Amino acid sequence: MRGHESSVFSISVHASGRYAITTSSDTAQLWDLDTFQRKRKLNIRQSVGIQKVFFLPLSNTILSCFKDNSVFAWECDTLFCKYQLPAPPESSSILYKVFAVTRDGRILAAGGKSNHLHLWCLEAKQLFSIIQMPTKVRAIRHLEFLPDGFDAGSNQVLGVLSQDGIMRFINIQTCKLLFEIGSLDEGISSSVISPHGRYIASIMENGSLNIYSVQALTQEINKPPPPLVKVIEDLPKSKLNSSDLKMKVTSGRVQRPTKSRESKIQTRILKQDLTGNFENKENELSDGLNKKRLQILLKGYGEYPMKYRMFIWRSLLQLPENHTAFSSLVDKGVHVAFLNLQKKYPIKSRRLLRVLQRTLSALAHWSAIFSDTPYLPLLAFPFVKLFQNNQLICFEVIATLIINWCQHWFEYFPNPPINILSMIENVLAFHDKELLQHFMDRDITSQLYAWPLLETLFSEVLTREEWLKLFDNVFSNHPSFLLMAVVAYNICSRAPLLNCNLKDDFEYFFHHRNNLDITVVIREVYHLVDTTPTDIHPESILDVFVALTKGQYPVFNQYPKFIVDYQTQERERIRNDELDYLRERQTVEDMQAEVDQQRAEDEAWYQKQELLRKAEETRREILFREEEKMLEQRQRLAAVKRELKRKEIHLQDAARRRFLKQQQDQREMELRRLDDEIERKVYMRDQEIAATAKDLEMRNLELESQTRLFEKKLNRNHEAVAKEMREDTDAYRRKVDLEEHVFHKLLETDQAQSLKAQKIIEENLANAEQACIDADWRLQALHTQRCDALQRNERYQEVAKLLRNNRRKEMEVLNAAMEAEAKKWEEAEEKEFHLRSEKRASALSDASRRWFLEQELSDALEHAENPCCEVSLNRRKLDWDTTEQDLLEKVRNLRQRLTAQARSRCQPPHVLAT
């Protein structure tokens, strides 16, 4: 349902059936059932949820109960807050979960998760009683008052459904447990009581449905109250003595007057004497009401109180409330005459339409004439709308109205009641001849100025309140009052009617509401009733009020039966003919439909074939165009491929040229680098040679200086002995220093020569390797040129010879590769051998140097012991020169030998002749 975010758990309908309230945990909404539109919406805070919102019976008050135990009362029309119930005392405060209200709307019962019940008086707006249930009851799940036909709506018995599945019925006045239904083994899930309190329907926890009879469960319900009046009875004898009079007085609780179905409360009966006349019984009504007093009250106030109007009407009409008879009429279903009622009378409310259809069907089943009465829906509609919540009362009110106030209406059926209209015309002629003459001059008959008011019962020309006020007086008076009301309405409207000249104006006037005071009309009706002569008074022709019989409804046959039977037969015959015609037409339509369907299928087949042919031609054209497009695309693709191939060849050629140029540049860079390296090494060699020469010159200078010093010492030998010793010591010291210096220089020279020789050897090896690589590259280039030349020479030879040559060349290339691999392995072995030789030579050189140093040291020691130092110095100088020359010669020879070996290894391999 729109507007609710959570599920709806409660729906309450107003007593008039016009409004409804739907309640969910988050909101409550007021709906108009006539238009099915939402009128208002109750918004609350999320912290305070809604427990229940419902209408109070027989009032326009809405009661809203929230989860914080706050209870508010609102006016239905204005939604004005009327009052709020005070908070219950803290000692017995409970969270309200379930609620129940008596039928008179005076007492509110509330319960929750406790065994306490709170009873609120809504008139005094205070908590007047707290009922404690038995200890077995821990929580209350449902509350509902049990109706009683004699308590005038102030229900005293409350049904309490607890958590154990047992529903206990207690008297809220005496707090007495009357009876209980359900058990622990077969608990009750939910329960509802019929409107009249006779039956209780319960859904059990096992899914079964149980119906309980209240009369079988207890005798404390629906008991008639004790007499409230004094009854004075006469003695059986003819004499009337004061001492023999007996007075029977019965006391009882004073209650509101209500209707009794099973028994009637005794009324006052006063017998003055044996010949005295009783008071007119027709003034005495059931439920303790008096018609004369009601008429006095009506004349004083002009209408009955709204709250008690329905009750007074039911008492005035003395409705029997025959449930069984009415149920038998309703069970016959919808009458065939009213199956399509919504087409002729489109009513917006579906519920109201169903009630009207059901009531009219019941009337048609009661009497056959009502199925052919065209104005019956107009006549019944106001009562259906008024009593839509109680269809039994609605039916009996309409039936009573037809029997009493519609007397002689059907004697001229299917024509309007000419006799009734003649009565109205006679009364109008007596009281207002001018108006009647005006009608006659304008050719306006009673069927135009009287019958529309009668067949609609004034519902078209009066508002709801005016109509209720009028029928308060109609039901309280003789049946002729309704006819007088028609005359009074015309007389009170004489001014606008005299101004009307066209028939359409008169028709409009009597079918629409007019600016007329209904109180003036009613006053005029009473005046007409009192002043109309007896000979033309409708009261002399119409019978007095007769109520419906109890148990079964009376037979209604006040109509020309033969006409109705004839019409029924004719209608049945016409219906049968119509059914036959409809069947034949249906057969013809079916055959025509089959023919049309076959024709349509054939037409569709031909159209489909034509469409298929056109589609095939279209597909062929599309296919042809696609093939042409594909051919063009293939041609473009081939052209693109050729262009790509050409570009690829150009790119490959450019890449090859770029690669060759890069190789050439790289070779030139290698050559320049090698030239730079050779120049650097030559420069380094020259520098080393120059440094060696300078060292040798320095050494010669030192030797010459030593020689001069030695000569000076020899010249001084002839000096004194003392000086000689000193000179010898100084000479010895100088000799030692010189030897040490020479020894260190010798060591440095040897190390430098060794490092230089090693570097030269490594450089020569690298140069030889590079020369070998360059030779291989040149050899491969030459070989490639030769192969290209051979291929150009042999291009025009036979294919077989070319294949053999290619295979032979492949074999040759394979052999050459294998030979090159073998030579590389031999070269690697020779290099490994030379490396070992170099290591041995280096080791021998190191051993020779060690031996030389040791020898020099030993010679130096011997020289220190031998005074003849001149010879040793000269010999040592010669030995040094010889050793230096030998070492230089060895290094030169080693370089030459390594160069020759490198050149021999780098020679190109022989290529097999083809």
Side-chain angles (χ1 to χ4, degrees):
M1 184 173 286
R2 292 181 302 173
H4 290 283
E5 296 180 358
S6 58
S7 59
V8 176
F9 57 77
S10 173
I11 298 178
S12 177
V13 182
H14 191 262
S16 63
R18 184 177 179 182
Y19 303 108
I21 294 177
T22 57
T23 308
S24 61
S25 59
D26 56 347
T27 185
Q29 301 186 85
L30 179 63
W31 301 85
D32 190 342
L33 296 182
D34 291 339
T35 61
F36 292 100
Q37 298 293 327
R38 184 178 67 187
K39 295 189 64 177
R40 290 295 181 90
K41 180 179 180 180
L42 174 62
N43 294 317
I44 61 170
R45 296 194 301 270
Q46 294 181 355
S47 59
V48 181
I50 297 177
Q51 200 68 37
K52 191 175 183 181
V53 180
F54 56 94
F55 287 104
L56 289 181
L58 302 177
S59 68
N60 287 333
T61 303
I62 300 175
L63 211 62
S64 60
C65 309
F66 300 93
K67 291 185 178 179
D68 59 353
N69 277 12
S70 59
V71 180
F72 293 87
W74 312 82
E75 182 64 33
C76 177
D77 297 330
T78 61
L79 293 182
F80 175 76
C81 183
K82 299 174 67 175
Y83 58 85
Q84 179 185 0
L85 296 181
E90 296 182 358
S91 59
S92 63
S93 178
I94 59 176
L95 291 177
Y96 293 156
K97 296 291 184 182
V98 290
F99 305 89
V101 183
T102 57
R103 295 185 68 184
D104 58 1
R106 294 183 176 181
I107 297 176
L108 170 67
K113 291 184 178 181
S114 173
N115 63 345
H116 285 186
L117 280 176
H118 287 187
L119 299 180
W120 293 84
C121 179
L122 298 180
E123 291 182 345
K125 306 175 186 62
Q126 63 181 359
L127 181 68
F128 73 90
S129 178
I130 299 177
I131 299 176
Q132 183 177 1
M133 298 296 292
T135 56
K136 299 177 182 179
V137 178
R138 297 190 303 274
I140 298 174
R141 292 163 50 188
H142 180 64
L143 292 174
E144 190 169 0
F145 279 98
L146 183 63
D148 192 336
F150 298 98
D151 59 4
S154 59
N155 309 128
Q156 303 298 319
V157 179
L158 178 63
V160 182
L161 177 61
S162 57
Q163 87 288 342
D164 55 3
I166 300 176
M167 191 168 187
R168 299 170 175 86
F169 289 84
I170 60 172
N171 191 307
I172 61 175
Q173 296 295 335
T174 62
C175 294
K176 177 182 179 183
L177 178 62
L178 301 180
F179 63 94
E180 62 183 25
I181 57 177
S183 61
L184 296 176
D185 298 331
E186 191 176 357
I188 297 175
S189 176
S190 60
S191 182
V192 65
I193 302 174
S194 64
H196 300 287
R198 296 180 180 178
Y199 302 101
I200 304 172
S202 301
I203 299 177
M204 314 307 289
E205 293 179 351
N206 57 9
S208 61
L209 177 64
N210 291 356
I211 307 296
Y212 299 93
S213 175
V214 177
Q215 293 181 355
L217 293 172
T218 181
Q219 301 297 327
E220 299 293 331
I221 307 298
N222 289 327
K223 291 178 62 177
L228 302 178
V229 298
K230 299 176 181 179
V231 179
I232 301 174
E233 297 180 354
D234 290 334
L235 293 175
K237 297 181 180 180
S238 59
K239 293 182 180 181
L240 193 61
N241 297 325
S242 60
S243 61
D244 296 331
L245 289 175
K246 295 182 180 180
M247 184 175 63
K248 182 179 180 182
V249 180
T250 306
S251 63
R253 184 172 54 87
V254 178
Q255 297 184 357
R256 293 170 54 199
T258 59
K259 175 181 63 61
S260 172
R261 300 188 186 94
E262 299 180 359
S263 62
K264 299 181 180 179
I265 300 175
Q266 297 180 7
T267 57
R268 289 181 180 177
I269 301 175
L270 180 60
K271 299 181 181 180
Q272 296 179 352
D273 51 22
L274 295 176
T275 60
N277 295 323
F278 291 105
E279 193 175 336
N280 192 358
K281 290 185 178 181
E282 71 176 20
N283 292 328
E284 298 296 337
L285 303 175
S286 60
D287 304 321
L289 298 180
N290 186 274
K291 190 173 182 179
K292 288 294 184 182
R293 292 182 179 179
L294 289 176
Q295 289 176 348
I296 295 172
L297 177 66
L298 182 61
K299 289 182 179 179
Y301 292 97
E303 60 179 334
Y304 293 127
M306 176 64 70
K307 187 175 183 180
Y308 301 105
R309 175 177 280 124
M310 300 299 106
F311 170 72
I312 295 173
W313 282 17
R314 291 162 65 178
S315 299
L316 289 171
L317 300 178
Q318 301 177 21
L319 303 180
E321 298 190 20
N322 298 326
H323 291 274
T324 304
F326 178 71
S327 299
S328 63
L329 294 175
V330 173
D331 293 341
K332 293 180 180 181
V334 179
H335 197 275
V336 66
F338 303 106
L339 288 174
N340 299 322
L341 183 64
Q342 68 277 7
K343 294 181 180 179
K344 189 174 182 180
Y345 299 98
I347 301 175
K348 186 179 297 184
S349 174
R350 302 294 301 173
R351 180 175 179 271
L352 190 61
L353 178 63
R354 288 194 299 270
V355 175
L356 177 61
Q357 192 177 39
R358 196 175 294 117
T359 304
L360 296 177
S361 300
L363 290 170
H365 292 308
W366 175 43
S367 181
I369 192 173
F370 297 127
S371 62
D372 298 323
T373 305
Y375 56 86
L376 185 63
L378 300 175
L379 185 141
F381 181 74
F383 296 99
V384 170
K385 192 171 183 179
L386 189 62
F387 297 99
Q388 57 181 323
N389 294 324
N390 195 334
Q391 299 178 30
L392 172 63
I393 300 300
C394 177
F395 172 80
E396 292 186 350
V397 167
I398 296 172
T400 306
L401 177 73
I402 292 173
I403 291 177
N404 293 278
W405 281 270
C406 298
Q407 298 180 37
H408 309 291
W409 280 29
F410 306 98
E411 293 180 357
Y412 294 91
F413 184 83
N415 300 317
I418 306 300
N419 50 351
I420 300 297
L421 298 179
S422 299
M423 295 182 197
I424 296 173
E425 188 172 354
N426 293 334
V427 176
L428 181 60
F430 179 79
H431 291 283
D432 197 338
K433 294 181 180 180
E434 182 183 359
L435 181 60
L436 180 60
Q437 186 63 37
H438 179 70
F439 287 154
M440 294 174 65
D441 294 340
R442 301 298 182 271
D443 197 17
I444 303 300
T445 63
S446 58
Q447 295 185 15
L448 187 59
Y449 66 81
W451 181 238
L453 301 177
L454 289 176
E455 66 178 357
T456 61
L457 296 180
F458 293 88
S459 60
E460 288 185 347
V461 297
L462 298 179
T463 62
R464 175 186 174 88
E465 290 74 15
E466 293 173 347
W467 188 87
L468 291 174
K469 186 182 295 186
L470 173 63
F471 271 83
D472 284 344
N473 293 270
V474 170
F475 289 151
S476 301
N477 290 277
H478 191 270
S480 61
F481 190 88
L482 182 61
L483 305 183
M484 291 297 186
V486 175
V487 179
Y489 187 86
N490 281 272
I491 294 175
C492 294
S493 305
R494 68 188 312 274
L497 289 175
L498 291 174
N499 292 327
C500 295
N501 296 319
L502 300 177
K503 187 175 182 180
D504 293 339
D505 297 339
F506 288 101
E507 291 181 355
Y508 182 86
F509 184 86
F510 289 105
H511 286 281
H512 293 80
R513 294 177 183 175
N514 303 292
N515 188 12
L516 189 63
D517 188 1
I518 192 62
T519 305
V520 176
V521 175
I522 295 173
R523 193 182 304 115
E524 181 65 24
V525 173
Y526 282 108
H527 173 71
L528 295 178
V529 169
D530 295 337
T531 59
T532 303
T534 306
D535 55 345
I536 61 172
H537 201 295
E539 188 176 2
S540 61
I541 301 174
L542 300 180
D543 298 331
V544 295
F545 174 80
V546 177
L548 296 177
T549 57
K550 191 172 182 60
Q552 292 294 332
Y553 296 116
V555 177
F556 184 80
N557 55 2
Q558 300 175 5
Y559 58 89
K561 192 172 183 304
F562 68 95
I563 295 178
V564 176
D565 294 341
Y566 176 74
Q567 287 185 349
T568 303
Q569 293 174 2
E570 285 296 317
R571 188 169 53 253
E572 188 66 26
R573 183 183 60 80
I574 293 172
R575 186 179 294 110
N576 293 332
D577 294 342
E578 186 177 0
L579 291 175
D580 294 338
Y581 167 72
L582 291 175
R583 282 193 296 269
E584 292 178 358
R585 189 176 67 178
Q586 185 65 31
T587 304
V588 173
E589 289 179 354
D590 293 341
M591 293 175 64
Q592 185 65 32
E594 291 179 359
V595 172
D596 294 342
Q597 183 179 1
Q598 186 65 32
R599 186 184 300 107
E601 291 177 356
D602 295 342
E603 185 71 20
W605 186 82
Y606 286 121
Q607 291 179 359
K608 188 175 181 181
Q609 293 299 321
E610 183 66 21
L611 291 175
L612 289 174
R613 186 183 62 79
K614 291 181 180 180
E616 185 177 1
E617 292 178 357
T618 305
R619 297 298 186 277
R620 288 181 184 277
E621 293 177 358
I622 294 173
L623 185 61
F624 180 72
R625 288 195 296 270
E626 291 296 330
E627 288 178 353
E628 290 181 351
K629 290 180 181 179
M630 190 177 296
L631 256 171
E632 294 177 359
Q633 289 178 358
R634 285 179 180 176
Q635 292 176 359
R636 288 195 297 270
L637 184 61
V640 170
K641 285 183 178 179
R642 288 194 299 272
E643 184 67 22
L644 290 176
K645 193 67 176 177
R646 186 177 61 79
K647 289 182 180 180
E648 183 179 0
I649 293 171
H650 288 322
L651 290 174
Q652 289 178 357
D653 190 16
R656 183 178 61 81
R657 288 195 299 271
R658 189 165 53 252
F659 176 73
L660 291 176
K661 185 177 179 181
Q662 184 179 1
Q663 289 290 334
Q664 184 178 358
D665 296 341
Q666 186 176 0
R667 294 299 180 184
E668 293 177 355
M669 289 176 65
E670 288 290 334
L671 290 175
R672 286 195 297 272
R673 187 181 63 79
L674 290 174
D675 293 339
D676 295 340
E677 187 70 20
I678 290 170
E679 291 177 357
R680 186 180 63 80
K681 289 185 177 182
V682 169
Y683 175 75
M684 290 177 64
R685 187 182 60 184
D686 294 340
Q687 292 292 329
E688 289 176 357
I689 292 171
T692 304
K694 289 180 180 180
D695 290 340
L696 290 174
E697 289 178 358
M698 183 63 67
R699 199 173 299 165
N700 291 327
L701 291 174
E702 289 178 357
L703 289 175
E704 289 178 358
S705 64
Q706 289 179 2
T707 303
R708 285 192 296 274
L709 288 174
F710 184 68
E711 289 177 354
K712 288 180 180 181
K713 287 180 181 181
L714 289 176
N715 293 327
R716 291 176 184 176
N717 285 333
H718 301 287
E719 292 181 0
V721 176
K723 288 183 181 182
E724 188 176 356
M725 290 298 294
R726 188 174 57 237
E727 289 177 357
D728 292 334
T729 304
D730 293 332
Y732 177 76
R733 187 180 296 112
R734 283 193 300 272
K735 289 180 181 179
V736 170
D737 292 334
L738 181 62
E739 289 175 356
E740 288 180 357
H741 177 72
V742 172
F743 177 73
H744 287 298
K745 292 295 290 182
L746 180 63
L747 291 177
E748 291 175 359
T749 303
D750 292 337
Q751 290 177 358
Q753 291 295 329
S754 177
L755 290 173
K756 287 180 181 179
Q758 186 176 359
K759 287 181 180 180
I760 291 170
I761 290 170
E762 290 176 357
E763 289 175 0
N764 291 334
L765 289 175
N767 293 332
E769 182 69 21
Q770 186 64 37
C772 182
I773 292 171
D774 293 340
D776 290 340
W777 177 70
R778 292 189 182 91
L779 183 60
Q780 289 177 2
L782 182 60
H783 181 66
T784 302
Q785 291 176 1
R786 289 179 180 179
C787 290
D788 292 338
L790 291 174
Q791 288 178 0
R792 284 193 300 272
N793 293 329
E794 295 174 357
R795 187 176 299 168
Y796 302 105
Q797 300 297 327
E798 294 179 358
V799 177
K801 184 178 180 180
L802 183 61
L803 293 174
R804 287 193 300 272
N805 291 334
N806 288 336
R807 286 194 296 270
R808 187 166 56 253
K809 288 178 182 179
E810 290 177 357
M811 293 299 296
E812 290 175 357
V813 171
L814 181 60
N815 294 331
M818 293 174 64
E819 291 177 0
E821 183 180 1
K823 289 181 179 181
K824 286 292 182 182
W825 282 109
E826 292 176 359
E827 182 180 355
E829 291 176 357
E830 290 179 359
K831 288 181 178 180
E832 184 68 24
F833 173 75
H834 284 298
L835 180 62
R836 288 194 297 269
S837 299
E838 289 294 330
K839 288 182 179 180
R840 286 194 299 269
S842 177
L844 291 174
S845 177
D846 293 338
S848 176
R849 282 193 299 273
R850 283 195 301 271
W851 176 83
F852 175 76
L853 290 174
E854 290 175 358
Q855 188 67 32
E856 290 294 330
L857 287 174
S858 63
D859 292 341
L861 292 175
E862 290 177 0
H863 177 73
E865 293 177 359
N866 190 4
C868 297
C869 58
E870 294 179 358
V871 178
S872 63
L873 287 173
N874 293 326
R875 191 176 60 249
R876 190 176 296 116
K877 180 179 179 181
L878 294 174
D879 291 339
W880 285 348
D881 294 337
T882 305
T883 304
E884 183 178 2
Q885 293 177 358
D886 293 338
L887 287 173
L888 291 174
E889 185 66 23
K890 287 180 181 180
V891 169
R892 192 178 297 110
N893 293 333
L894 181 60
R895 286 179 177 177
Q896 292 176 358
R897 189 169 59 253
L898 290 175
T899 302
Q901 290 177 359
R903 288 176 178 177
S904 63
R905 285 195 304 271
C906 293
Q907 289 180 359
H910 298 285
V911 179
L912 296 176
T914 56

